[in-house]
Amino acid sequence: MVFTDFSLVVFSTLAQLAVGLTVMAALQPRAAGESGEVKLKVEWVTAGLILAAALMASMFHLGHPSGSPRALVHLSTSWLSREILAFGCFGGVLVLAFLTLWKNSGGSSLLIRLTAAVGLAALLVSGMVYAPPSFPALNNGVPVLFFLLTAFILGSAFGAYFVGAERQGLLVKVLATSLVVGLVVNLILPSIWLSGGTVARMTGANFYGSWLYWLRIAGEFVVPLAVLGAWKKIPAWLPILLLLGEAAGRIMFLNSVVHTATNLGGLY
Amino acid sequence: MSKKQAGFYIDAQRCIGCYSCAMACKNQYHQEPGVHWRYVYPLKEEIYPHRERAWMSLACNHCEHPTCLEVCPVEAYYKREKDGVVVHEQEKCIGCQNCIRSCPYGAPRFNPARHQAEKCSMCYQRLDAGLKPACVQGCPTYALQFIEDMASFDQSGKVQYLAGFPRFPELNPSVRFRPPREPREVRR
């Protein structure tokens, strides 16, 4: 299968970035006073705009975008319907939390945590869409794991833009941990696939044989970990590098994982 | 299971790999160039290691529990009560391609001109008129046959999962195969 549609790369990466930002906003202690509140509002608006851009990009994936509202009708069995509902709920709670923040009324911290929880739930649902039986390498918890890693890596990296340099400690810890987990997962997973059936083995070989895979390992994991180890802070250019790395990973996720139908007539 | 389940019988001992079934389907539905609902797959050498070749003709398997029907977000698929044929309603399809990604047999295809998925419907209009599917009618060796009801089909000597055809018991594809025989060596 040749993947030519980048709208799914943009949609999934940006939506997970938006979830990551809300999760980090819920975890991050804020500076007291007005500056902390303003930064939180800006971060929240940014998360909302990123989610809007993601949802807009998802429309370009559809052959007939005008029919997209009907995609909610099959909630009983379709994970795609559930994914649309979940991200709709995420967007709704995100807006509600922003309105509460804007009015400085009580309960905003509760709504911020609720938004993060709904966002994480949306990622779980989203992972199920990409785990059909036709992809033996993904017909398990791997998509959910990938999506959570994307949210934590990008959320902690981009979250650094919205806190002062002196308050990056937690974000640096979350980012470094996520990068270590991501590096280990991405190095080991193709080996696990190589020990599976024929189609899973083809997927493992595709990953290890791809220059994009190795470029991502170096550019998204090794170099940023070295930077974090040396500087103990998140420089302004690092989130962009990580975003490019995640986009490369998503291209591989959508393009290099082998479908069972590609080997019809062969061993399974 | 629905009251009746229609299916396809593929006799790999009779199939000569002529692609008449795939062409009959093309002639019936005039699919876009590059789009085929039925295709003839050669068994690879790792499965059939002989100089003679063997084939299996595949289209939609009209599964008992179809993945396409399950994953479609707009309910563009339905299963006919009377014969279990899985039908795709193109006027409902929004072209999300989730069925194409999810069907392990690669039955739904993307029509680049209409920006929608489409697949074999077992020629249900022909079935309703008392005719056989176009591919079955077009097969010159009776290698591809129509099974009116899987429950009453004589299964002896037939298999559901031929080597080269992925095994997904939870879907229960409505196809049966007669495996290819070992070629006979003629010594002179």
Side-chain angles (χ1 to χ4, degrees):
Chain A
M1 296 188 114
V2 177
F3 179 76
T4 53
D5 189 351
F6 283 90
S7 54
L8 279 185
V9 176
V10 176
F11 159 68
S12 58
T13 312
L14 291 188
Q16 287 151 28
L17 165 57
V19 171
L21 279 177
T22 60
V23 171
M24 292 307 136
L27 292 176
Q28 179 72 13
R30 295 279 151 184
E34 199 175 330
S35 74
E37 277 182 22
V38 170
K39 281 176 179 169
L40 179 59
K41 283 177 187 169
V42 174
E43 181 173 8
W44 213 252
V45 170
T46 308
L49 291 176
I50 288 170
L51 179 66
L55 295 175
M56 186 69 79
S58 72
M59 292 291 138
F60 288 95
H61 171 64
L62 298 178
H64 296 268
S66 59
S68 58
R70 281 193 288 113
L72 281 166
V73 301
H74 204 189
L75 291 167
S76 58
T77 62
S78 172
W79 283 103
L80 185 55
S81 287
R82 295 168 188 169
E83 183 192 33
I84 294 161
L85 178 67
F87 275 108
C89 290
F90 174 58
V93 189
L94 199 144
V95 169
L96 196 62
F98 175 73
L99 293 176
T100 319
L101 270 173
W102 196 256
K103 289 178 179 172
N104 285 323
S105 57
S108 63
S109 69
L110 182 69
L111 269 175
I112 285 170
R113 286 187 193 132
L114 180 66
T115 310
V118 173
L120 288 173
L123 291 194
L124 298 181
V125 173
S126 191
M128 295 304 293
V129 178
Y130 293 91
S134 51
F135 292 99
L138 301 179
N139 187 213
N140 43 49
V142 165
V144 172
L145 179 61
F146 277 169
F147 294 174
L148 286 173
L149 279 170
T150 303
F152 277 86
I153 288 171
L154 295 184
S156 55
F158 279 86
Y161 288 141
F162 305 100
V163 296
E166 72 286 355
R167 289 186 164 268
Q168 280 191 7
L170 177 69
L171 294 179
V172 170
K173 279 181 194 162
V174 172
L175 180 56
T177 309
S178 305
L179 286 174
V180 169
V181 174
L183 178 63
V184 171
V185 165
N186 279 283
L187 282 176
I188 289 177
L189 206 50
S191 292
I192 295 172
W193 290 334
L194 284 172
S195 67
T198 307
V199 177
R201 281 207 304 278
M202 292 160 81
T203 301
N206 275 355
F207 271 64
Y208 279 153
S210 163
W211 62 267
L212 192 60
Y213 169 81
W214 292 108
L215 185 66
R216 182 181 176 223
I217 291 290
E220 190 189 340
F221 298 106
V222 177
V223 171
L225 276 172
V227 167
L228 289 180
W231 296 357
K232 312 283 187 226
K233 65 172 190 169
I234 301 170
W237 52 268
L238 192 61
I240 306 299
L241 180 67
L242 293 171
L243 180 63
L244 292 175
E246 282 300 322
R250 201 49 48 84
I251 289 169
M252 292 211 67
F253 175 84
L254 293 167
N255 196 31
S256 300
V257 179
V258 179
H259 192 285
T260 44
T262 56
N263 205 38
L264 285 169
L267 284 172
Y268 280 96
Chain B
M1 198 168 188
S2 50
K3 286 170 190 164
K4 255 185 177 182
Q5 176 63 60
F8 289 113
Y9 170 55
I10 300 111
D11 186 340
Q13 293 184 15
R14 285 184 170 179
C15 182
I16 56 173
C18 68
Y19 288 76
S20 290
C21 50
M23 289 304 104
C25 181
K26 275 263 183 196
N27 285 339
Q28 179 79 27
Y29 294 103
H30 301 281
Q31 293 123 352
E32 290 296 316
V35 177
H36 42 75
W37 298 352
R38 177 168 286 284
Y39 200 69
V40 180
Y41 296 87
L43 296 184
K44 291 182 183 172
E45 215 167 289
E46 62 213 27
I47 286 175
Y48 194 71
H50 306 290
R51 288 178 69 186
E52 278 189 30
R53 302 300 331 128
W55 292 270
M56 55 180 183
S57 168
L58 296 179
C60 174
N61 302 311
H62 301 276
C63 302
E64 184 188 356
H65 304 294
T67 305
C68 54
L69 189 152
E70 187 180 294
V71 303
C72 177
V74 293
E75 296 183 337
Y77 289 89
Y78 72 94
K79 198 165 169 63
R80 299 214 310 175
E81 192 72 23
K82 64 193 272 192
D83 52 16
V85 170
V86 179
V87 178
H88 176 250
E89 296 179 284
Q90 252 187 339
E91 65 275 13
K92 287 186 180 175
C93 180
I94 59 171
C96 70
Q97 303 179 54
N98 205 28
C99 54
I100 296 172
R101 276 180 51 82
S102 301
C103 171
Y105 298 105
R109 306 283 174 147
F110 188 66
N111 181 328
R114 298 185 62 157
H115 304 289
Q116 286 172 320
E118 54 187 33
K119 72 166 195 73
C120 156
S121 61
M122 209 182 252
C123 294
Y124 70 88
Q125 301 93 333
R126 288 174 61 89
L127 296 183
D128 290 346
L131 300 170
K132 289 178 178 172
C135 53
V136 171
Q137 183 164 304
C139 178
T141 62
Y142 294 103
L144 182 62
Q145 294 176 31
F146 171 65
I147 303 173
E148 201 172 319
D149 185 14
M150 299 299 291
S152 59
F153 181 63
D154 176 16
Q155 308 264 353
S156 58
K158 286 98 177 177
V159 295
Q160 188 174 18
Y161 300 104
L162 187 69
F165 182 73
R167 181 183 291 268
F168 288 97
E170 63 277 17
L171 272 65
N172 195 11
S174 306
V175 285
R176 295 295 182 271
F177 298 92
R178 184 155 75 138
R181 72 163 74 87
E182 296 284 304
R184 280 172 297 184
E185 192 175 344
V186 179
R187 289 171 184 263
R188 280 188 266 191

